[in-house]
Every structure is written in C-alpha cells, then in structure tokens.
Amino acid sequence: MTISILQKSSIGTIGNPANVCCVQFSPSSTNLLAFGSSDYNVYCYDLRHTKIPWCTLAGHGKAVSYVKFLDSETLVSASTDNTLKLWDLNKASSTGLSSGACSLTFGGHTNIKNFIGLSALDGYIACGSETNEVYCYYRSLPMPITSHKFGCVDPVSGNEIADSIGQFVSSVCWQRKSNMVVAANSSGNMKVLQMV
C-alpha cells in the first residue's frame, strides 16, 4: 500500500465518540493501532477491520493522555487520574471492555491536569509529573525506580533555583539503544538525563 499526503481522500476512517488524545502504531504490526481517549479508555484497532475496535482497554478514571507499545503484546498508558497502566494485549477481549487486561498500575508521579509526556524503551517507562519531576518506572515494579527534580531557572541570573511552583515536566523521550532520556518542562527547560 502506498500512502501519500497528496491524496485527495483518506484510505480509511475510524470514528470515536470522544476526543482522541494520542495515537500510536504498533512497532511490530503494520495493522495494529492504539489510541487514548477522553472517555477514559484505550482503543486498539486492526486497520483491516475498522468498524469496531479489536479491543477496548478500560480502567483509567480520567482521560488517557498517552499510549506507548512496550513490545508486540504490551501497552502502557498514561492518564490524568495520576496513574500509568500496563496492559497485556493477550488478555484483551474483542467483545466488551477489557478491564482484566490491566496487569499493573504505576503510581508515584502527579498528573491531574496536564499532559506530562510518556516514553518507553526496553521495559523502562519515563513520564513527567506536575511536581516538575521526571519519573522512571520498570515494567514489573509499581513504584518509581528513580526520579529527577527540575529546578527553576532565574531569568536574570540564569542560575537554577528551587522554586518551581506551577511548572511541570511536559515531555520525555528515551534515546534508542541507550540509557539516556531527554525531558522538557513547561517553562522551556530541557535536560538530558542518564540512568546509571
């Protein structure tokens, strides 16, 4: 299949009754797509059959802001309900809601209002926090394995100061095949961090 952005029409349409907050293709299947929605669910679609979801993952208490595949059978989602959830797609059902597919809920970061970023690599999961911190989890542990607090930069001196009220880490990204993650906060500061 050849796709061009110059096409006059799309090759398919997926309808969702609520706002879509994020979309992620599976890295191991060209036909699998997952997205997070403001109706608190994660939807997975087989692009060969887009009339109904392949599965609907239910368990968050607020909007799902991010989804990322950890591997071909595992998905992680972030929500403004203060949690990340790990989903086992082998336990998902094609009929009804698949709340039993949640294999682990991660907690420790703060996320009730803003989209804080989510990145995953080799079982490690990084996310931001509304406490102006970056948190790192491992796929089998419900609590963070480490965190890093951003300081606030004084606009006059350029020095880092402790006061960061109202700031939050808004974006995170693992560098492929490394132990480095870049994180950015709501005041425009970026940090390259290395997990040792």
Side-chain angles (χ1 to χ4, degrees):
M1 166 179 21
T2 303
I3 299 173
S4 169
I5 59 171
L6 299 176
Q7 287 178 209
K8 295 202 186 284
S9 62
S10 67
I11 60 170
T13 301
I14 297 172
N16 194 55
N19 292 339
V20 174
C21 302
C22 59
V23 179
Q24 179 79 43
F25 277 108
S26 169
S28 58
S29 170
T30 58
N31 297 313
L32 183 58
L33 175 80
F35 61 86
S37 180
S38 64
D39 67 0
Y40 313 170
N41 294 319
V42 175
Y43 296 91
C44 296
Y45 275 84
D46 181 330
L47 293 178
R48 297 167 293 190
H49 310 283
T50 58
K51 294 214 183 293
I52 60 169
W54 170 72
C55 71
T56 302
L57 306 173
H60 280 295
K62 289 177 87 177
V64 177
S65 49
Y66 295 98
V67 294
K68 298 288 179 184
F69 283 90
L70 289 181
D71 54 46
S72 63
E73 301 169 347
T74 314
L75 187 72
V76 64
S77 59
S79 170
T80 53
D81 67 1
N82 272 325
T83 67
L84 306 179
K85 291 193 179 286
L86 192 70
W87 304 95
D88 182 347
L89 296 180
N90 290 322
K91 293 181 180 176
S93 169
S94 59
T95 58
L97 300 176
S98 294
S99 55
C102 179
S103 57
L104 190 61
T105 299
F106 303 94
H109 65 286
T110 300
N111 185 207
I112 57 172
K113 178 168 95 171
N114 301 292
F115 283 20
I116 56 164
L118 180 69
S119 187
L121 183 69
D122 297 333
Y124 292 95
I125 303 159
C127 72
S129 177
E130 291 170 359
T131 56
N132 208 26
E133 295 172 273
V134 180
Y135 282 82
C136 184
Y137 297 89
Y138 188 70
R139 69 184 298 156
S140 60
L141 303 171
M143 297 303 293
I145 59 172
T146 190
S147 65
H148 174 80
K149 177 97 172 147
F150 267 62
C152 181
V153 176
D154 181 283
V156 176
S157 68
N159 294 329
E160 200 167 284
I161 56 176
D163 184 20
S164 61
I165 294 173
Q167 294 181 17
F168 60 95
V169 172
S170 55
S171 185
V172 293
C173 182
W174 283 105
Q175 181 183 37
R176 284 196 136 146
K177 299 180 182 179
S178 82
N179 59 349
M180 290 195 313
V181 65
V182 65
N185 76 355
S186 56
S187 65
N189 294 313
M190 293 178 60
K191 292 192 176 190
V192 178
L193 305 168
Q194 187 170 19
M195 199 167 68
V196 289

